[in-house]
Amino acid sequence: MSDDATSEPPDGSTNEAFTYNGGRVDPGESANIRYGISETYLGDPVRIPVTVVNGEHPGPTMFLSAAAHGDELNGIEVVREVAHDWDHSILHGTLVCLPVMNVPGFLAQERYLPIYDRDLNRSFPGREGSTSARRMANQIFTNFIEPCDLGLDFHTSTRGRTNMLHVRANTERSTVARLAKAFSSNVIIAGEGPSGTLRREATEAGVPTITVEMGEAHRFQRRLIDRALTGVASVLAEFGLHRESSVHWPGWRTVIDDDDEKTWLRADAGGIVDMKRGRGQLVEEGEVICTITNPFKEDEDIVTVEAPFTGLIVGVLENPVVYPGNPLCHLVGLSPDTLTALERERTTERSRSDLRQGDD
């Protein structure tokens, strides 16, 4: 999609029907679809849930997808609420909502497809006549991703770790960069993404797409879900799908596009981790992030992990046991201006908190 593809349609024009293999959703209509993408060992269909909301008025077609990894649940609730709880009577364009793409993984509450442990989010755009994962990916991609103009793909960290809400995007593409900024997260990590990921392959196919990372697997985290819903509303406003809404400014933003500005800190010893700092916290260079001890907590065996530079903890370990080489936290650097804005925001939040406590 080029930037001018989001220009205003002529007054009085009507939207087009959204079509997929086997059906259509006309302007002004919504449809809940259970679309077959594969079969089980018993020959029963594997169906993914899809909701298509097709507005009466013309505008972009946007997909929202979640649970490409079956145990990543936060995004499911984001997509469901947008599809079923929001008022789309004034929608300009079409929303294609895929709350659970990896149905076999979701049913088993596993990250990967429980069929040879295939990763659905390394299998796009898929291919007919290939592996089971690529066949599933092909059905999803052909019917519900390629017809769109832009997309949001929701993820969480893998089991045992957690992420602050942030966006991953190929910011070298102008519309992708616009989409990433419109989502209004504080942190954007730039890059095209690994081969086979939905955001990379959709973007390559002309559907600018970003990944939204938020929280941890196996749970709903309401504060993160609500924050992501704010981001979705901001995107709908920016691209003209909800014209009465406003684009949201997050207060401060940093785009991490240099390898020197981000690092995964990894354990140099096996043991039990005592994490001193958490997701979304600012740490100073030299500050202790965590310690690693053996079962006896002997002083001579304590390993201290310090921040190599001043930065923000984007992702952090939740499971407190590690082998050497296991990741402990994802640290990103911030510019001086961003640090100043972040510290100002935190000071304001503390002042408001103090005032609320005083009222009590």
Side-chain angles (χ1 to χ4, degrees):
M1 181 184 75
S2 61
D3 287 331
D4 58 6
T6 60
S7 59
E8 293 276 337
D11 289 339
S13 57
T14 57
N15 203 4
E16 298 179 352
F18 180 88
T19 60
Y20 58 94
N21 185 18
R24 61 183 282 148
V25 183
D26 289 317
E29 295 184 353
S30 298
N32 294 325
I33 305 156
R34 294 186 182 272
Y35 192 81
I37 62 170
S38 188
E39 295 179 352
T40 70
Y41 293 130
L42 296 176
D44 297 323
V46 173
R47 296 188 178 102
I48 64 167
V50 184
T51 297
V52 177
V53 183
N54 198 2
E56 292 184 6
H57 310 287
T61 299
M62 184 173 87
F63 77 82
L64 299 92
S65 59
H69 296 132
D71 59 359
E72 298 182 0
L73 307 184
N74 277 328
I76 295 175
E77 191 60 13
V78 174
V79 177
R80 289 200 315 158
E81 290 193 25
V82 171
H84 302 293
D85 295 347
W86 286 14
D87 179 9
H88 296 300
S89 59
I90 43 80
L91 178 67
H92 288 253
T94 306
L95 297 176
V96 180
C97 301
L98 302 107
V100 182
M101 290 194 293
N102 183 352
V103 167
F106 175 75
L107 294 175
Q109 275 303 280
E110 295 179 1
R111 178 178 175 85
Y112 300 124
L113 287 160
I115 307 163
Y116 307 117
D117 275 343
R118 299 279 186 177
D119 188 342
L120 183 62
N121 201 40
R122 295 296 185 274
S123 303
F124 291 103
R127 189 170 69 247
E128 292 182 355
S130 185
T131 65
S132 54
R134 290 186 181 277
R135 292 180 188 216
M136 292 182 189
N138 175 259
Q139 289 290 327
I140 296 169
F141 200 85
T142 301
N143 286 283
F144 301 110
I145 304 301
E146 280 189 320
C148 295
D149 297 306
L150 63 155
L152 306 175
D153 186 31
F154 293 92
H155 287 260
T156 76
S157 188
T158 190
R159 155 181 341 192
R161 300 204 297 268
T162 185
N163 286 326
M164 70 176 290
L165 188 144
H166 67 279
V167 162
R168 299 184 182 186
N170 183 357
T171 55
E172 292 185 0
R173 303 288 188 99
S174 60
T175 307
V176 177
R178 179 184 170 199
L179 178 59
K181 291 177 180 177
F183 193 81
S184 77
S185 69
N186 295 118
V187 176
I188 299 171
I189 296 181
E192 63 181 352
S195 177
T197 55
L198 179 55
R199 74 171 170 97
R200 174 171 173 169
E201 302 303 335
T203 298
E204 290 293 329
V207 185
T209 299
I210 63 172
T211 294
V212 179
E213 293 278 354
M214 46 186 294
E216 59 190 285
H218 289 294
R219 66 191 63 206
F220 282 163
Q221 294 168 287
R222 190 69 242 179
R223 290 182 64 184
L224 289 171
I225 291 167
D226 288 342
R227 179 63 187 82
L229 288 168
T230 298
V232 175
S234 182
V235 168
L236 295 183
E238 169 68 19
F239 286 89
L241 286 96
H242 277 189
R243 299 183 181 183
E244 287 73 14
S245 300
S246 299
V247 178
H248 182 261
W249 166 244
W252 61 272
R253 176 188 293 130
T254 185
V255 179
I256 308 299
D257 57 7
D258 182 80
D259 287 340
D260 293 334
E261 293 182 294
K262 61 180 183 287
T263 185
W264 273 100
L265 300 183
R266 295 183 177 272
D268 289 329
I272 300 169
V273 179
D274 181 8
M275 192 64 64
K276 308 294 185 183
R277 307 295 284 168
R279 178 190 71 203
Q281 290 189 312
L282 183 68
V283 293
E284 302 289 338
E285 181 178 353
E287 185 176 347
V288 175
I289 293 177
C290 67
T291 59
I292 304 172
T293 60
N294 62 29
F296 305 108
K297 300 189 77 170
E298 294 169 336
D299 290 343
E300 63 270 21
D301 293 326
I302 295 177
V303 176
T304 300
V305 179
E306 299 178 349
F309 53 83
T310 297
L312 189 70
I313 296 178
V314 173
V316 71
L317 183 76
E318 289 281 287
N319 185 341
V321 294
V322 292
Y323 280 113
N326 285 167
L328 297 167
C329 75
H330 189 192
L331 186 67
V332 301
L334 302 175
S335 69
D337 288 345
T338 303
L339 275 171
T340 300
L342 174 57
E343 289 166 352
R344 185 185 305 119
E345 179 186 84
R346 300 283 165 91
T347 300
T348 302
E349 289 175 353
R350 285 193 295 270
S351 298
R352 288 173 178 169
S353 178
D354 291 342
L355 286 172
R356 286 194 293 270
Q357 291 176 3
D359 291 340
D360 293 340

